[in-house]
Amino acid sequence: MSIIDQKLKDEQGRNLLFRGCNLGGSSKKPIPPDLSPRESVSFIGRPFPLAEAEFHLERLRSWGFSLIRFIITWEALEHAGPGIYDESYLAYLRKILNLAGEKGISVFIDPHQDVWSRWTGGDGAPAWTLEKLGMDVDRLDTVGAALTRERYAEFHRGPYPRMIWPTNYSRYGAATMFSLFFGGNTYAPETKIDGESAQDWLQERYLACMRHCFRRLKNCKAIIGWDAMNEPHPGFIGYTDLKGLENYAVATGAMPSAFQAMAAASGYRVSAPVYSTGILGERVIRQELLNPQGLSLFREGYSCPWKQAGVWTDRQGEPQLLKPDHFALYQGRPVRFVEDFLKPFIIRFTERMRDADERTLIFIEGIPQGQGFTQPNHPSWTKEDPPEAINAFHWYDGPTLFTKFFRPWFSFRIDTGKIILGRRKVAAYFSEQLAQGIAWAKEKMGNMPCLLGEFGLPFDMNGKSAFRTGDYRLHEEAISMYYDAIDKNLLHAVIWNYSADNTHKDGDGWNGEDLSIFSQGEGRAMGGWRRPYPMATAGEVLEIYWDRKQGLFRFCFRANPEIPAPTEIYAPPECFGTAPKIEIRRTTSDTAKVFAEYKPEEARVFIRNEGYRGDLEIIISR
């Protein structure tokens, strides 16, 4: 497979369209999933035990999934310490990926992270990345530098709040690590790790780890490429005023300003605002005391890197902010995080990966969408930048994801807060959001191919009513609306996610999320996502339309008679039965033969072209 004329094509020249899933949500955590011990954890068995691998992969293949975004974490590879790689885990990965190749499933590897690390409320980096900066990771929750599900009950009343984990991007632990990882040389040049600048040391450890992993796996034929990093974040970079709140995805719960977060991490008791966010926007509803014990996050001999950089200081027993705009400028002008820091990292990552295999595709992600971001989310890309790249942006139906309630006739724009009423208008809004990502790639990224790397639905929405009734019709409608928008934009897409060990009780097993399309031994809301699509087209794809209620699929493409291989359409019997009706409509008087063949055992329709040149309309129905 390669990129030709900004399209993904197979060796026979057919235009490919990938549909698949992220595998899997529970791969973010080890077995067992607690926060200690750190050196002896194991991720073997994520995404599923080796003994079950063929069973799960065969199911994914039968569902028509041709591409997997395969989740790994930095911690899984290098949890024991810098340069100490878990070779047993790598051997396990190799066996899983070889099986995927045998099933004809393509894979791109995603080094996943959310809010930096499990110790800062998410997943990704090993604990030693924080410890190397002198942080006592067992105090991150204590001083308000992180909000983890594992330790929430020690400091708060009630259960871990719904979808509060993204607020960790604004807390000290994750924000400091991202700021140092991407911009330490600029904003904290005094901060060293083992005598090297924090930025260079952290990035080199990450790049060396991923390259080592690639070298161990590069002969796995299933692998077509690598994602540079899941949902990278600027941390504090770009803040115009450290007394405020910026660079956030959502404002809910206690969210200190950047300066308050710095003071609390260094032993000060801080009164932080508690936010509530609704349709009408965000508001402060009260104050909450952070670090009531007045403890320092740092071990003896270490201190806050931002204090070392002169951002703030102690004066008469109180913290004083000296440089509120410390992160606002780069080389004397307003900083552009994506262009100034993220893009150079992606290029460096690409070069290191292509040392291992020059043919690998690179999947590019921007920063997560959110209310607190005012700059472009995706990097630009030119002919001078590395080729063979794909814009792998993410999109979620934000109101449904964060509230866990869905009504097909109601939504609201996150950018303006404007209410949207009516199913057609909501559907059009979904399509518009996806079109924006494609338009950016067309205008700013050399019209590179686009892939929707994450989208999905919380299955525990609407009060978990489907778990009690078994009625997933509303879920099917939601997911179908998402896929309709994907079809309209002719997008490659992999849904989040398939978790082999998902249960109604524990969901995906990570921060209260429950987005797996598979649970307790069976698929969920399959009527929404098991649907026909053109897997490989001998020509140019023009239009895809699926009416799930009528069971009618319409596919238009411009046939290229010079491609000898047939057009291949996934047509599951659940949609059409075992003997679908297939119509072929021509737009020209060309009489060359075009005929269809249905293979029920493969759930495929093959359109064979014996010389016809022109547009074809394929209609498949019950």
Side-chain angles (χ1 to χ4, degrees):
M1 187 188 68
S2 59
I3 298 176
I4 301 174
D5 298 328
Q6 289 74 48
K7 300 289 179 63
L8 294 175
K9 298 192 178 188
D10 65 12
E11 294 178 353
Q12 300 172 88
R14 295 182 297 180
N15 279 304
L16 299 173
L17 184 63
F18 283 115
R19 295 288 163 81
C21 68
N22 283 260
L23 184 65
S26 58
S27 294
K28 300 178 180 184
K29 60 182 185 178
I31 304 172
D34 55 33
L35 292 179
S36 59
R38 294 184 283 278
E39 294 78 11
S40 60
V41 300
S42 175
F43 284 75
I44 295 174
R46 303 293 192 202
F48 32 64
L50 186 59
E52 300 175 9
E54 185 165 2
F55 170 77
H56 289 289
L57 291 169
E58 178 58 32
R59 172 187 282 122
L60 295 176
R61 188 206 65 79
S62 71
W63 285 349
F65 289 171
S66 54
L67 180 65
I68 286 173
R69 183 174 183 246
F70 195 92
I71 309 304
I72 63 172
T73 66
W74 186 2
E75 181 193 5
L77 297 167
E78 201 177 4
H79 51 82
I84 305 173
Y85 304 121
D86 191 334
E87 298 295 344
S88 296
Y89 173 67
L90 286 165
Y92 158 80
L93 288 182
R94 187 177 182 84
K95 292 175 182 178
I96 296 289
L97 293 169
N98 280 334
L99 279 172
E102 291 174 11
K103 300 297 179 184
I105 300 174
S106 297
V107 169
F108 73 99
I109 305 295
D110 167 43
H112 207 85
Q113 73 78 34
D114 296 284
V115 292
W116 186 258
S117 171
R118 287 196 297 134
W119 284 266
T120 50
D123 59 273
W128 50 258
T129 59
L130 297 113
E131 292 171 333
K132 280 290 188 176
L133 288 157
M135 298 185 195
D136 182 343
V137 295
D138 294 324
R139 286 188 174 182
L140 283 159
D141 287 80
T142 308
V143 304
L147 194 67
T148 66
R149 184 179 181 88
E150 292 82 358
R151 291 173 173 164
Y152 185 82
E154 295 180 34
F155 307 99
H156 307 274
R157 296 178 181 177
Y160 191 71
R162 177 181 62 212
M163 287 303 295
I164 201 169
W165 68 261
T167 65
N168 280 297
Y169 282 116
S170 300
R171 292 176 179 268
Y172 184 85
T176 290
M177 295 308 300
F178 278 115
S179 302
L180 291 173
F181 183 89
F182 287 111
N185 292 344
T186 300
Y187 300 108
E190 302 86 356
T191 300
K192 308 290 184 181
I193 301 177
D194 295 343
E196 190 176 3
S197 76
Q199 175 181 329
D200 292 343
W201 192 90
L202 288 167
Q203 285 199 15
E204 180 56 32
R205 299 289 84 69
Y206 180 88
L207 295 170
C209 178
M210 296 309 155
R211 186 174 183 274
H212 180 81
C213 179
F214 194 6
R215 288 171 63 89
R216 288 288 187 266
L217 302 177
K218 73 173 186 177
N219 291 329
C220 298
K221 295 181 180 179
I223 298 177
I224 63 170
W226 279 70
D227 196 335
M229 177 186 286
N230 177 70
E231 296 187 353
H233 195 274
F236 295 132
I237 299 172
Y239 264 69
T240 58
D241 186 352
L242 294 174
K243 296 190 298 295
L245 180 64
E246 304 176 36
N247 292 0
Y248 62 94
V250 63
T252 184
M255 297 187 69
S257 70
F259 176 47
Q260 287 177 320
M262 294 173 188
S266 289
Y268 287 98
R269 298 172 179 85
V270 170
S271 180
V274 176
Y275 288 83
S276 175
T277 298
I279 295 176
L280 300 178
E282 60 203 30
R283 59 192 178 95
V284 177
I285 56 175
R286 58 185 174 87
Q287 298 287 313
E288 180 177 306
L289 186 64
L290 295 185
N291 194 6
Q293 301 176 55
L295 300 175
S296 174
L297 174 62
F298 296 94
R299 302 192 307 271
E300 185 176 352
Y302 293 88
S303 64
C304 173
W306 314 123
K307 187 177 181 181
Q308 298 172 36
V311 177
W312 68 280
T313 189
D314 299 290
R315 188 161 295 174
Q316 296 180 345
E318 294 294 330
Q320 181 176 344
L321 182 60
L322 301 176
K323 299 178 181 178
D325 62 348
H326 180 71
F327 297 95
L329 300 177
Y330 176 72
Q331 296 182 349
R333 57 163 173 78
V335 65
R336 300 171 299 172
F337 169 76
V338 170
E339 293 297 309
D340 297 333
F341 296 103
L342 178 58
K343 180 178 176 179
F345 164 74
I346 294 173
I347 290 175
R348 189 179 179 196
F349 178 92
T350 301
E351 292 170 347
R352 293 294 288 274
M353 289 297 122
R354 288 184 175 161
D355 279 346
D357 185 348
E358 62 183 12
R359 299 168 300 173
T360 192
L361 300 176
I362 297 297
F363 293 76
I364 298 172
E365 291 189 38
I367 59 178
Q369 298 280 353
Q371 295 175 330
F373 296 107
T374 59
Q375 297 184 14
N377 297 79
H378 307 290
S380 63
W381 214 255
T382 69
K383 293 181 179 179
E384 285 69 41
D385 296 317
E388 302 291 296
I390 296 170
N391 179 27
F393 67 97
H394 295 179
W395 172 81
Y396 284 93
D397 171 12
T400 299
L401 180 67
F402 283 99
T403 67
K404 295 196 177 184
F405 276 88
F406 174 77
R407 295 292 181 269
W409 43 265
F410 173 85
S411 188
F412 61 89
R413 299 185 69 103
I414 294 180
D415 53 354
T416 65
K418 183 179 179 181
I419 293 175
I420 303 172
L421 295 176
R423 191 187 188 284
R424 289 185 179 181
K425 290 184 178 179
V426 172
Y429 176 52
F430 292 164
S431 182
E432 173 194 333
Q433 289 180 295
L434 296 181
Q436 289 173 357
I438 297 171
W440 179 270
K442 183 176 182 179
E443 297 169 9
K444 304 290 186 180
M445 304 179 79
N447 197 29
M448 68 170 58
C450 290
L451 175 139
L452 186 57
E454 282 190 26
F455 71 102
L457 182 76
F459 280 87
D460 55 346
M461 69 181 194
N462 293 13
K464 302 183 180 182
S465 60
F467 299 169
R468 298 187 296 272
T469 66
D471 185 352
Y472 284 92
R473 285 178 295 177
L474 194 60
H475 299 71
E476 290 180 350
E477 185 166 8
I479 294 174
S480 183
M481 290 177 71
Y482 302 161
Y483 271 103
D484 287 346
I486 291 166
D487 280 352
K488 188 172 183 178
N489 286 281
L490 307 180
L491 261 174
H492 306 277
V494 286
I495 195 169
W496 183 273
N497 72 92
Y498 181 102
S499 290
D501 53 352
N502 178 284
T503 65
H504 291 171
K505 178 178 181 294
D506 297 322
D508 300 341
W510 182 85
N511 279 345
E513 289 198 345
D514 191 356
L515 288 86
S516 176
I517 60 173
F518 176 82
S519 179
Q520 301 186 164
E522 59 185 11
R524 298 194 285 191
M526 294 179 68
W529 51 264
R530 194 171 188 187
R531 50 193 280 150
Y533 74 97
M535 305 179 79
T537 303
E540 180 185 354
V541 178
L542 301 176
E543 183 181 359
I544 305 170
Y545 173 78
W546 165 238
D547 187 325
R548 70 187 184 95
K549 293 183 179 179
Q550 295 188 26
L552 184 144
F553 177 67
R554 180 174 178 269
F555 170 48
C556 300
F557 70 101
R558 184 155 296 144
N560 182 349
E562 297 175 4
I563 299 176
T567 291
E568 186 174 342
I569 302 169
Y570 176 65
E574 290 80 2
C575 296
F576 304 109
T578 56
K581 178 182 177 182
I582 305 171
E583 300 176 67
I584 302 176
R585 298 176 182 176
R586 305 168 183 240
T587 58
T588 73
S589 58
D590 189 331
T591 59
K593 188 175 181 180
V594 180
F595 62 95
E597 178 186 10
Y598 178 59
K599 294 186 178 182
E601 70 279 5
E602 298 180 39
R604 305 286 194 276
V605 169
F606 295 90
I607 307 298
R608 304 187 186 277
N609 179 12
E610 296 185 354
Y612 176 81
R613 187 180 300 275
D615 294 354
L616 289 173
E617 180 182 13
I618 311 300
I619 297 176
I620 307 174
S621 58
R622 299 188 185 115

